[in-house]
Amino acid sequence: MPPALTSLAAAAPSTPLGPFVDSAVAWTTWVTLMGLVGLIALAVLSAGPAAARTAPSALAAVTARLARAAAVVGVLAVPAVLTDLAHGASHGGGYDYSAAWDSLYDGSNAGRLSGLEVTLSLVAAALVAPLAVRSVAAGRARSWLLGAGLVASSVALGTTKFPTKTPADWGRTSFETLIWMLHLLGGGIWLGGLAGLLLLAAPGAIPAVERRAFWSMAIRRFSVSATSCVAAITLSGLFLYWEHVDGLSQLVTTMYGRVLGVKILIFGGLLLLGMFNQFWLHPRIDAARDEGDQRPLVTVLLRRFPLVVAVEVLLGMTLLFVAPFLHGSARNQAYQAQVAEQSATAVPAKKLPKLAAKQVGTDTWVWGTAETVAVVVLMAGGYRLSGRLAGRRTAAAVTSSPLPS
């Protein structure tokens, strides 16, 4: 039960959006860490296997291009993390890099996690850096280096949400950490992968004669990863919504809810573009490839794909910029506003009461299980439907007369 409202006296709580520079600093950290994961994952899960099957001569070039970008992003993650730490360590709103550096591995759990974040980012960059050389990218070390780099970068991203204190409830804390890992890794693989696809769309990576076959398979394989990531983000987002928001009304009555609403709208825009790719563009590219179509239509489709991906990347980066503005909880902001309305005298804002964390009950598990099944079925069904659409277009093209080129 919440504390009695009549026994409290507080000023109207202030829940500012937060300084713009704070979000900008945090944004650079998220972009580099998530981009590092996504670029390597793209080489491991989608672009690499697609090149190996459809354009073996381009495998080294594809791997090298993604490896160069990942190595650069991994190195840039270090100053991004240190800048974030330095901004937090400065009491005057500046940047205390000396304090930030000293906080790494300072004996505290937070220091160890920050140290691992920096160290593992560099380790991931060092692992993939040799693959920037095409002769190395074409060798047997490719899979091992990419796999090790993906593990290191994933743990570096995960350290941002690992608990810094010994939890009182190991079960709940472990589950919340798992939820955050799904949220962050899903976003990293999806958004970083989109950026990697945009890099590969630039001239020089894929020979023209193999370009259609490569992109058809690469897009299809990335669709599997992206669909899985959307499912992970949706499920983890539903849990975080349950944990921090009590009812749809708080999406408009609290600052946390309004920021979350903007984030949901951007995520919805990304989903709409993804659906356009999945159900309209991809089936047409697949059908054109399967029927050996060399007409200008295929070129138009392949040129349209990078444009859509570029818009998705911009929306994704905007989403990462909005996310750091989420502070506190809509539940607490609404409760503190209610306390202030019934207060007679003012107390410091830091002493305003907070609601206890929601307790997980049987109904929570029932709803959570139902939501999980529904999301998985919806995503799997959507992927299979897009594949059937491609098959139908191919069959229709085969039975119809060819159009003049």
Side-chain angles (χ1 to χ4, degrees), residues 198-352:
L198 201 57
L199 284 175
L200 294 178
I206 314 297
V209 69
E210 298 170 318
R211 193 170 299 154
R212 291 180 176 88
F214 166 79
W215 277 112
S216 178
M217 180 165 290
I219 292 171
R220 197 64 185 164
R221 290 186 68 95
F222 180 72
S223 294
V224 178
S225 300
T227 301
S228 302
C229 290
V230 169
I233 294 170
T234 302
L235 290 173
S236 57
L238 287 171
F239 173 80
L240 294 172
Y241 176 89
W242 170 82
E243 193 173 42
H244 295 290
V245 182
D246 281 337
L248 294 175
S249 64
Q250 291 185 0
L251 289 177
V252 294
T253 59
T254 65
M255 182 60 72
Y256 183 98
R258 289 191 284 270
V259 173
L260 180 60
V262 172
K263 186 180 175 184
I264 292 173
L265 288 176
I266 298 173
F267 181 68
L270 280 166
L271 284 182
L272 288 177
L273 286 174
M275 290 173 64
F276 171 79
N277 282 335
Q278 188 85 351
F279 295 106
W280 191 89
L281 191 58
H282 297 180
R284 283 161 174 78
I285 294 176
D286 285 347
R289 181 208 64 179
D290 291 339
E291 67 189 73
D293 195 342
Q294 301 294 321
R295 292 171 296 171
L297 173 62
V298 185
T299 302
V300 171
L301 291 174
L302 290 176
R303 287 177 179 173
R304 188 173 297 176
F305 175 70
L307 177 62
V308 176
V309 171
V311 176
E312 288 182 282
V313 170
L314 289 175
L315 280 177
M317 296 180 75
T318 304
L319 181 67
L320 294 181
F321 184 81
V322 170
F325 285 112
L326 285 171
H327 300 293
S329 166
R331 298 176 64 240
N332 283 320
Q333 290 175 9
Y335 173 64
Q336 289 171 350
Q338 187 180 6
V339 168
E341 290 177 358
Q342 301 187 20
S343 301
T345 59
V347 296
K350 291 183 178 180
K351 294 185 178 180
L352 287 169

Side-chain angles (χ1 to χ4, degrees), residues 135-159:
S135 58
V136 179
R140 294 182 178 180
R142 175 186 173 277
S143 299
W144 290 99
L145 291 174
L146 286 175
L150 183 58
V151 171
S153 60
S154 298
V155 177
L157 178 60
T159 57

Side-chain angles (χ1 to χ4, degrees), residues 99-174:
W101 183 260
D102 291 339
S103 69
L104 304 181
Y105 298 110
D106 62 358
S108 65
N109 286 335
R112 280 188 285 270
L113 290 174
S114 297
L116 284 173
E117 188 177 353
V118 170
T119 301
L120 292 176
S121 297
L122 285 176
V123 168
L127 285 168
V128 300
L131 297 174
V133 180
R134 293 194 180 189
S135 58
V136 179
R140 294 182 178 180
R142 175 186 173 277
S143 299
W144 290 99
L145 291 174
L146 286 175
L150 183 58
V151 171
S153 60
S154 298
V155 177
L157 178 60
T159 57
T160 59
K161 292 297 181 180
F162 289 167
T164 58
K165 298 180 180 179
T166 302
D169 186 346
W170 276 99
R172 185 185 182 102
T173 302
S174 299

Side-chain angles (χ1 to χ4, degrees), residues 350-398:
K350 291 183 178 180
K351 294 185 178 180
L352 287 169
K354 292 184 178 181
L355 294 171
K358 285 185 177 179
Q359 296 301 311
V360 178
T362 303
D363 59 333
T364 309
W365 287 110
V366 171
W367 278 106
T369 302
E371 290 169 352
T372 301
V373 172
V375 169
V376 171
V377 169
L378 181 63
M379 295 299 165
Y383 179 79
R384 289 179 63 87
L385 177 60
S386 65
R388 290 183 179 180
L389 290 175
R392 290 175 183 174
R393 291 192 64 85
T394 301
V398 170

Side-chain angles (χ1 to χ4, degrees), residues 49-101:
R53 289 191 59 182
T54 63
S57 61
L59 177 60
V62 168
T63 303
R65 180 169 292 194
L66 293 176
R68 292 188 196 109
V72 171
V73 171
V75 171
L76 290 177
V78 175
V81 172
L82 288 175
T83 299
D84 197 7
L85 293 173
H87 191 56
S90 175
H91 300 290
Y95 300 88
D96 191 342
Y97 284 96
S98 177
W101 183 260

